[in-house]
Amino acid sequence: SSNTIPSPRMSTDLVALNTRVVTYLARHDGRDKLCRATAYGSDFLVWLLKTWGHESVLKWIKQIMKMKAGFGVARKCFRVGAPLKDVDALAKMKDQGYMKMIRILMHVGNACYYAMDTIELATIFEILPYKTAEIKVLRYRIFVFKTIFNLYLILKGISDKVQEIQKLQKKLKEEGSEELRQKLADAFEAKRKHTVTLSLVIADLPIACWVLTDWGKRNIGSGGAGLSGLIGASMAVREIWRSVKVK
């Protein structure tokens, strides 16, 4: 039998894939979303095992929950200092009027949300004398607050891009220049990103409902919240992977 030698093209593709994976993992948001997918996927898997699992596999639930706890702590470590990104966004903000106020409220809410993550991390390590469940509830109340303004900004962004696309398409019929085609492509891509962001926010809503309401605890449960979080995290992983460029 003869040994199969990888072709130069295959070797180049493998090197490019390896470089892309390394670049992805070097991003803290990339690692964060992978840990998020694992943590919420663990919740969903545990629900599946409890609902339909055979007795022989139920013994794995304890190990899965330990894994979930570990990835959850890792996520909070990745987010230490995350509020500074919102402080930076506020410092560079150029909006005026009511849009300025909405962005300020959204970024302040976002900064507080991530700050609560750090407080929850310190509580897990018993540095602070709080209860993690209470901190989690407070964090998701802040999440609801900032999501109201975030949804408005996302929907307005989509609406603005739709109007821009319509204007560019009309101009393109009249002129047909390459510059206009590029602007149109950029507008479609920006609209797509806004739509993905909207999907990510919507995927988080069942989790907030599960944490904050009795109805959510009864009707969504850890299984529904886990599935919702897994879907949202998977979409985020895919979006970050798309943005990773390898030269």
Side-chain angles (χ1 to χ4, degrees):
S1 60
S2 60
N3 295 325
T4 303
I5 301 174
S7 65
R9 180 188 176 92
M10 183 184 295
S11 299
T12 302
D13 290 343
L14 288 173
V15 170
L17 176 61
N18 182 73
T19 303
R20 196 174 184 185
V21 170
V22 170
T23 305
Y24 176 93
L25 293 176
R27 293 178 53 163
H28 82 277
D29 57 341
R31 298 192 302 273
D32 174 68
K33 298 310 177 186
L34 280 176
C35 288
R36 189 177 199 266
T38 304
Y40 280 110
S42 298
D43 277 333
F44 182 58
L45 180 58
V46 166
W47 177 81
L48 283 177
L49 292 177
K50 288 182 177 179
T51 306
W52 290 302
H54 190 269
E55 289 184 5
S56 60
V57 299
L58 294 180
K59 62 182 179 182
W60 294 104
I61 289 178
K62 186 177 180 180
Q63 284 83 349
I64 294 170
M65 293 308 294
K66 284 183 178 180
M67 181 179 68
K68 178 210 167 179
F71 277 100
V73 170
R75 286 191 68 213
K76 296 183 191 308
C77 292
F78 296 148
R79 290 179 167 191
V80 172
L84 295 177
K85 293 175 67 176
D86 289 285
V87 173
D88 186 58
L90 286 170
K92 297 177 180 178
M93 188 170 53
K94 297 179 180 180
D95 294 279
Q96 298 296 326
Y98 79 98
M99 283 297 295
K100 181 176 182 178
M101 180 57 63
I102 289 174
R103 285 196 187 277
I104 288 174
L105 290 170
M106 191 275 290
H107 282 298
V108 168
N110 209 43
C112 290
Y113 174 80
Y114 286 120
M116 293 304 299
D117 235 4
T118 304
I119 292 173
E120 189 174 346
L121 178 65
T123 302
I124 292 171
F125 291 150
E126 298 183 354
I127 298 172
L128 295 176
Y130 305 124
K131 295 181 179 179
T132 54
E134 294 175 354
I135 298 297
K136 186 175 183 179
V137 168
L138 181 56
R139 181 160 58 87
Y140 271 96
R141 285 176 179 166
I142 296 172
F143 166 82
V144 172
F145 171 83
K146 63 119 174 177
T147 296
I148 293 171
F149 303 104
N150 197 18
L151 281 172
Y152 178 84
L153 292 171
I154 294 169
L155 292 172
K156 188 177 187 305
I158 293 173
S159 176
D160 290 346
K161 287 303 169 184
V162 168
Q163 292 178 22
E164 182 183 347
I165 287 168
Q166 290 173 345
K167 290 178 182 178
L168 288 171
Q169 286 175 330
K170 186 176 180 181
K171 285 184 179 180
L172 195 59
K173 290 180 180 178
E174 298 170 357
E175 299 179 27
S177 67
E178 190 60 35
E179 182 181 355
L180 279 176
R181 287 191 177 89
Q182 185 58 51
K183 286 183 178 180
L184 183 61
D186 292 341
F188 270 116
E189 177 61 14
K191 176 177 172 288
R192 186 195 67 79
K193 288 182 177 179
H194 281 307
T195 304
V196 170
T197 304
L198 177 62
S199 301
L200 296 177
V201 173
I202 291 173
D204 279 340
L205 294 179
I207 302 171
C209 188
W210 169 58
V211 172
L212 297 175
T213 69
D214 292 333
W215 182 91
K217 288 179 175 64
R218 289 193 309 269
N219 297 283
I220 297 175
S222 60
L227 178 60
S228 182
L230 175 60
I231 292 171
S234 299
M235 288 192 295
V237 167
R238 181 179 181 274
E239 193 65 15
I240 296 170
W241 179 259
R242 281 174 58 106
S243 69
V244 174
K245 306 297 181 184
V246 178
K247 296 181 180 179

